[in-house]
Amino acid sequence: MKTFLMTSRFILAVAVACTSYLSTENTFGQFLPDPILLDSFEGVGGISDWSTQNDYVAETENSIYISHSQSTTGVTNGANSLALEMNSGSGWGVSLSASFTDIDTGLYDAFNTVAANPAGWYLEGDLTLDASSWANVSNPIGPPFVGLFQMNVALNSDASFTQAFATADVWEQETQIPLRINMNDLNPVQDSDVFQFFLGGSHVFAAGGTPEAPLGAIAYLDNLRFVPAPPSVPVTISSWEVGATDYSNDWSDCGLGCMDDPPSGHTGSHVHTIVANSPAATDGTRVLQIDNTRQNDPGLFPNGFAFHWGSTIELNSNIGTPEAPVIDSGIQGRIDELRELINSASAFAFDIHFEDLFNGNAVDPFSPAPAFMRVALAVNDGTGSFFQAEGTALAGTPDANATDTFQYIIGTNIMTDVSTDLGILSEVGLTDTNQLNVFLALNSDGGLLAQIDNFRVIIEVDLSADFNNDGKVDENDLVVWQNAYGANANGDADGDGDSDGKDFLAWQRTYGVDATQSSVALSKADMALLGIGVGVPEPTTGILLLFGSVLLGSSRRRSA
């Protein structure tokens, strides 16, 4: 069932989905399956299953591995973690294999369960970086002169090797951050003979030591697990339909180059048009068609293919000058609305279709099909920040080879501010200013013709405090937490393996969320944002007093 709600600027399609970002139905059995622990690196053999070699020569030759060991740094589950030391470069550190003959550990069954419905699962891990992570490395002495450290993951199943970024750039940060990626991005094939999972990164830094014995950056990982994807609300930003009241009419194909004076030399290398009656359309009949094949012409682009930003939403409410600003309230309202949607989102998503470039019928017959291809996305505001990321590598994957339209997702948790070093978009968000831009680009080494539709943000329903797993956060979950407090992890909302006051705060923050309804009940802030005029009740005074009595009782037990 789809419920359509009109807001001031766009149509919101509330399609609650447990097993996918998009669904036209709301059907729940057991509300969410239990998380599946892959490894917490415990015991004498805690890292023995992780190999530094694999069956793929290209990956072995591209290894950035220096060492791995068991550690007590960054522990979030049990008593140990994995310390992975990596060199500068892009490649792989360690891998974990699960064969169909594996009947003892359950590892193969875990991957195969996820492969049956990959969009319904996230791969998550707790990544810790501290002073020791950077003790032996420094900024590169040449361009880009600033270090880069971004964790990558990959999966091979039945000869389908798919890789993706799992974190933002976290160079020189000293913190704990989530490693998180939707398993749909890794394209697992159910009933494969072997699932082989790779952990590595894309790094740029000056390593310590010597070329023969380098010293690299160290990442600490714990609690690697599969977590069921929560229900989510997709909110369409652009559908490119006639008369659309969303942001469809705010796109240009200039990119950053058109903001330069004079315009960048890359202007014209990325051209987009609106195509009507496209079979690739998923929301109406029209799509945004992006064409970068002009870069095949050496007369126009003697340096060949080069990355640059292309299709852009450009919003600026200052219709005056920087020195004497005049703010247009209508434009500012649209900026505020889009900014709040982005700040509430866990991901951007869109539906994309490629012309048959990968099967020998390229749009430009004089250019080979790309061997490298990703879609890049960025957002910025008036502060100078520039949050950017690329999604899954596509060239040669089944999705890109197919003739159908498929979903492409870029999580806000991997979008790093590369301009002012503000942090990660999912953590810090955009700032309230009079400007907002959204950028799209095709990053490839050959000509592409792509059709995009239903450009949207994904707002997840927070069920972390649904301790009894019935799809609602209510008084019944508080009872579960009360009984688990200080005793076990049955009331664990933050995944740290215990039930404590932080988990109560998570319950309090999400109290009233109900994902069992056709129109999902979100938090007050999300409901106000999405124009849903149904209030979510605050926890009653009695419930808050109950929390106090639980803490008091626990304190007395400890002091007795």
Side-chain angles (χ1 to χ4, degrees):
M1 174 179 179
K2 265 191 178 180
T3 303
F4 291 93
L5 301 171
M6 291 297 297
T7 69
S8 58
R9 302 277 185 254
F10 52 83
I11 296 178
L12 165 68
V14 181
V16 184
C18 259
T19 58
S20 173
Y21 272 123
L22 272 180
S23 173
T24 57
E25 298 182 15
N26 179 24
T27 56
F28 304 111
Q30 176 189 356
F31 198 77
L32 289 175
D34 294 328
I36 304 172
L37 180 66
L38 289 179
D39 210 336
S40 60
F41 312 103
E42 300 303 305
V44 176
I47 61 171
S48 61
D49 292 332
W50 291 85
S51 172
T52 61
Q53 300 295 324
N54 56 68
D55 296 330
Y56 298 90
V57 174
E59 268 57 70
T60 303
E61 291 178 347
N62 200 31
S63 175
I64 55 174
Y65 173 83
I66 294 179
S67 70
H68 74 294
S69 60
Q70 209 170 28
S71 176
T72 57
T73 299
V75 172
T76 59
N77 187 349
N80 297 107
S81 62
L82 169 70
L84 177 60
E85 184 178 7
M86 292 170 283
N87 207 337
S88 181
S90 296
W92 305 108
V94 290
S95 64
L96 178 69
S97 296
S99 168
F100 73 96
T101 59
D102 168 28
I103 58 176
D104 297 323
T105 66
L107 195 59
Y108 179 86
D109 288 342
F111 277 97
N112 210 37
T113 296
V114 171
N117 178 30
W121 293 89
Y122 279 94
L123 173 75
E124 293 188 359
D126 304 321
L127 186 72
T128 297
L129 304 165
D130 64 7
S132 68
S133 300
W134 318 113
N136 298 313
V137 299
S138 58
N139 284 315
I141 59 176
F145 300 105
V146 177
L148 170 73
F149 190 89
Q150 189 165 18
M151 297 296 291
N152 298 350
V153 294
L155 184 68
N156 175 70
S157 54
D158 275 0
S160 171
F161 186 85
T162 307
Q163 57 185 310
F165 296 117
T167 71
D169 173 18
V170 289
W171 171 247
E172 290 191 327
Q173 292 192 28
E174 297 182 18
T175 185
Q176 185 178 103
I177 60 170
L179 182 150
R180 187 175 196 252
I181 186 171
N182 187 264
M183 283 300 294
N184 199 51
D185 292 346
L186 294 182
N187 194 42
V189 179
Q190 193 175 22
D191 298 326
S192 294
D193 289 340
V194 176
F195 294 99
Q196 190 169 24
F197 172 75
F198 299 85
L199 184 65
S202 295
H203 312 318
V204 179
F205 53 75
T210 65
E212 296 76 22
L215 298 174
I218 304 173
Y220 302 95
L221 179 68
D222 198 15
N223 199 18
L224 188 67
R225 60 204 184 271
F226 291 131
V227 178
S232 57
V233 179
V235 184
T236 298
I237 301 300
S238 297
S239 63
W240 294 285
E241 296 303 301
V242 175
T245 57
D246 54 20
Y247 295 86
S248 296
N249 296 320
D250 296 293
W251 293 83
S252 75
D253 59 4
C254 290
L256 287 175
C258 289
M259 298 179 182
D260 297 338
D261 187 16
S264 163
H266 288 302
T267 301
S269 63
H270 173 118
V271 178
H272 76 218
T273 55
I274 306 300
V275 176
N277 301 316
S278 169
T282 58
D283 186 2
T285 62
R286 292 157 60 94
V287 297
L288 181 74
Q289 180 168 283
I290 298 174
D291 182 355
N292 72 350
T293 59
R294 292 184 75 235
Q295 292 189 69
N296 293 333
D297 188 337
L300 295 174
F301 300 95
N303 296 323
F305 274 79
F307 177 84
H308 84 109
W309 293 104
S311 300
T312 309
I313 292 179
E314 299 178 71
L315 296 172
N316 188 337
S317 64
N318 181 13
I319 58 177
T321 65
E323 298 76 20
V326 177
I327 302 301
D328 183 300
S329 60
I331 298 174
Q332 187 62 49
R334 304 183 75 240
I335 292 173
D336 294 343
E337 183 176 63
L338 183 54
R339 182 187 64 251
E340 291 307 313
L341 285 172
I342 292 172
N343 286 348
S344 298
S346 63
F348 291 86
F350 46 88
D351 304 319
I352 189 166
H353 168 81
F354 294 98
E355 293 299 308
D356 201 12
L357 301 181
F358 297 94
N359 293 324
N361 298 317
V363 172
D364 181 348
F366 302 105
S367 172
F372 172 83
M373 181 182 66
R374 293 180 188 265
V375 182
L377 186 142
V379 296
N380 74 342
D381 54 38
T383 65
S385 64
F386 196 90
F387 298 91
Q388 69 175 42
E390 292 182 342
T392 303
L394 287 173
T397 65
D399 276 340
N401 285 329
T403 57
D404 296 334
T405 300
F406 61 96
Q407 181 177 232
Y408 198 83
I409 301 168
I410 299 177
T412 55
N413 67 303
I414 67 170
M415 297 183 69
T416 306
D417 177 17
V418 298
S419 179
T420 62
D421 200 24
L422 189 61
I424 301 169
L425 180 59
S426 62
E427 300 293 329
V428 299
L430 296 173
T431 302
D432 183 0
T433 68
N434 65 292
Q435 298 178 47
L436 196 157
N437 298 308
V438 180
F439 303 89
L440 267 178
L442 300 177
N443 188 9
S444 66
D445 60 356
L448 287 172
L449 190 63
Q451 294 188 341
I452 290 175
D453 198 11
N454 195 14
F455 185 83
R456 57 199 181 274
V457 293
I458 305 297
I459 299 177
E460 291 183 349
V461 182
D462 188 351
L463 290 175
S464 61
D466 176 23
F467 303 129
N468 65 355
N469 197 19
D470 66 351
K472 298 177 285 187
V473 180
D474 55 18
E475 290 86 349
N476 294 327
D477 299 299
L478 182 63
V479 174
V480 175
W481 174 85
Q482 178 188 5
N483 293 331
Y485 181 77
N488 55 50
N490 292 342
D492 182 14
D494 56 12
D496 64 354
D498 59 18
S499 304
D500 56 19
K502 292 184 292 184
D503 303 307
F504 171 81
L505 295 177
W507 174 85
Q508 185 181 25
R509 185 183 66 251
T510 58
Y511 177 80
V513 166
D514 184 353
T516 65
Q517 306 300 314
S518 56
S519 293
V520 64
L522 302 173
S523 68
K524 271 189 171 180
D526 284 342
M527 292 174 70
L529 170 67
L530 299 176
I532 304 173
V534 181
V536 177
E538 295 286 353
T540 64
T541 301
I543 289 175
L544 297 179
L545 289 174
L546 175 60
F547 171 57
S549 67
V550 170
L551 294 182
L552 181 60
S554 173
S555 176
R556 285 174 176 168
R557 287 194 298 272
R558 291 193 184 101
S559 62

